[in-house]
């Protein structure tokens, strides 16, 4: 415990000596006056030059160039197609798949060798679809 107190006392004494003696080595107050004035004037000149450089910078000029006249293409309207839509019923046939039927005994106990058979995968059905019926006259029903 005594060594800690000694260390603290020595640190306080050295710090106080350093603070008390520092102004004694500073020299005269007037010694560096002209150096300070020169630094201040230089900073003012440099700051003024930077300010003027940014102030006088004009925005970039906008130049408008007329586009070259490109040929304009006119797409004619498609001609009116004569005809009409009708609903038609269409039969979609059932689909079959070929599968291998392995050899087996039938109900009467006779051996049937393996062979290929067709198995129905989907039934046939009717469907309605819209069909365009082309005609030569604008209104085919008026001429019937």
């Amino acid at each position: 415990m005594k060594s800690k107190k000694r260390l603290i006392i020595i640190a306080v004494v050295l710090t106080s000596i350093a603070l008390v003696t520092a102004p004694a080595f500073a020299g005269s107050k007037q010694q560096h006056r002209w150096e300070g004035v020169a630094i201040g004037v230089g900073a003012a000149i440099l700051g003024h030059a930077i300010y003027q450089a940014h102030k006088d910078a004009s925005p970039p000029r906008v130049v408008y160039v007329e586009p070259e006249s490109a040929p304009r293409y006119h797409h004619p309207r498609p001609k009116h197609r004569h005809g009409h839509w009708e609903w038609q019923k269409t039969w979609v046939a059932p689909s079959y798949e070929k599968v291998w039927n392995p050899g087996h005994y039938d109900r009467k106990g006779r051996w049937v060798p393996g062979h290929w058979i067709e198995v129905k995968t989907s039934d046939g059905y009717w469907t309605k679809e819209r069909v365009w019926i082309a005609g030569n006259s604008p209104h085919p029903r008026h001429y019937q």
Side-chain angles (χ1 to χ4, degrees):
M1 193 68 154
K2 287 185 181 183
S3 63
K4 281 188 180 180
K5 282 184 184 181
R6 283 184 190 171
L7 227 82
I8 292 173
I9 290 174
I10 291 173
V12 169
V13 169
L14 289 176
T15 305
S16 61
I17 290 173
L19 291 175
V20 171
T21 58
F25 298 116
S28 172
K29 288 184 180 180
Q30 307 301 324
Q31 184 178 0
H32 301 292
R33 175 180 292 175
W34 291 114
E35 289 176 12
V37 170
I39 290 172
V41 169
I45 291 172
L46 184 62
H48 181 70
I50 291 172
Y51 174 74
Q52 288 298 325
H54 287 290
K55 179 182 170 190
D56 293 339
S58 62
R61 297 174 69 189
V62 177
V63 179
Y64 178 75
V65 177
E66 189 75 30
E68 294 181 18
S69 61
R72 296 182 180 173
Y73 296 104
H74 174 70
H75 297 288
R77 275 182 91 156
K79 294 181 180 179
H80 179 73
R81 296 187 334 171
H82 298 292
H84 61 280
W85 289 100
E86 281 187 6
W87 287 97
Q88 285 186 350
K89 283 177 66 175
T90 308
W91 172 253
V92 177
S95 60
Y96 295 92
E97 182 181 358
K98 264 186 145 178
V99 294
W100 178 253
N101 187 11
H104 59 280
Y105 290 100
D106 65 1
R107 292 183 185 164
K108 297 182 181 178
R110 290 179 294 195
W111 176 253
V112 178
H115 57 280
W116 289 97
I117 59 171
E118 286 189 351
V119 177
K120 188 186 293 187
T121 55
S122 67
D123 293 329
Y125 57 95
W126 287 98
T127 182
K128 277 187 170 182
E129 56 185 17
R130 254 178 109 193
V131 179
W132 176 258
I133 306 297
N136 294 333
S137 62
H139 302 287
R141 296 192 178 158
H142 294 289
Y143 298 106
Q144 290 179 354

